[in-house]
Amino acid sequence: DPSLEQYMRDNLWHPSQMIEKHKDGSILMTMEVGGLREVMGWILGFGRQAEALKPPHLRQAVSEELTAMAGKYVDFAQKDGG
């Protein structure tokens, strides 16, 4: 998404952040941070447009949070038929 790429480049979340664009159009943002809670919030805020790649414990934390969130909507999807 070109607008997401521009948004990423226009904002500074951390002084150490680096952004690189890959040939497939994906964007990789790397940074060195002291804690992961805030980073996890950013990743979740981008929804399906973002993926935590490293470190493994951040990826696991995001996965656990998304699983818990999805669990809140299981009954709704079953009742709604979709």
Side-chain angles (χ1 to χ4, degrees):
D1 182 347
S3 63
L4 179 59
E5 178 185 359
Q6 193 59 50
Y7 178 75
M8 299 294 285
R9 292 188 184 282
D10 288 347
N11 289 280
L12 179 66
W13 286 278
H14 194 273
S16 69
Q17 80 184 40
M18 294 174 36
I19 298 172
E20 63 182 70
K21 185 173 183 177
H22 292 204
K23 290 180 182 179
D24 66 0
S26 65
I27 302 165
L28 178 65
M29 176 186 276
T30 58
M31 65 181 79
E32 294 181 25
V33 296
L36 298 178
R37 178 149 302 280
E38 189 174 10
V39 175
M40 189 167 93
W42 296 336
I43 292 166
L44 293 171
F46 282 106
R48 65 179 63 194
Q49 293 181 305
E51 179 182 1
L53 301 176
K54 294 180 185 178
H57 57 278
L58 172 61
R59 189 170 173 86
Q60 179 67 33
V62 171
S63 175
E64 290 171 4
E65 185 68 17
L66 290 171
T67 299
M69 290 171 64
K72 293 181 179 280
Y73 298 94
V74 170
D75 291 343
F76 177 77
Q78 291 172 349
K79 290 177 190 174
D80 193 37

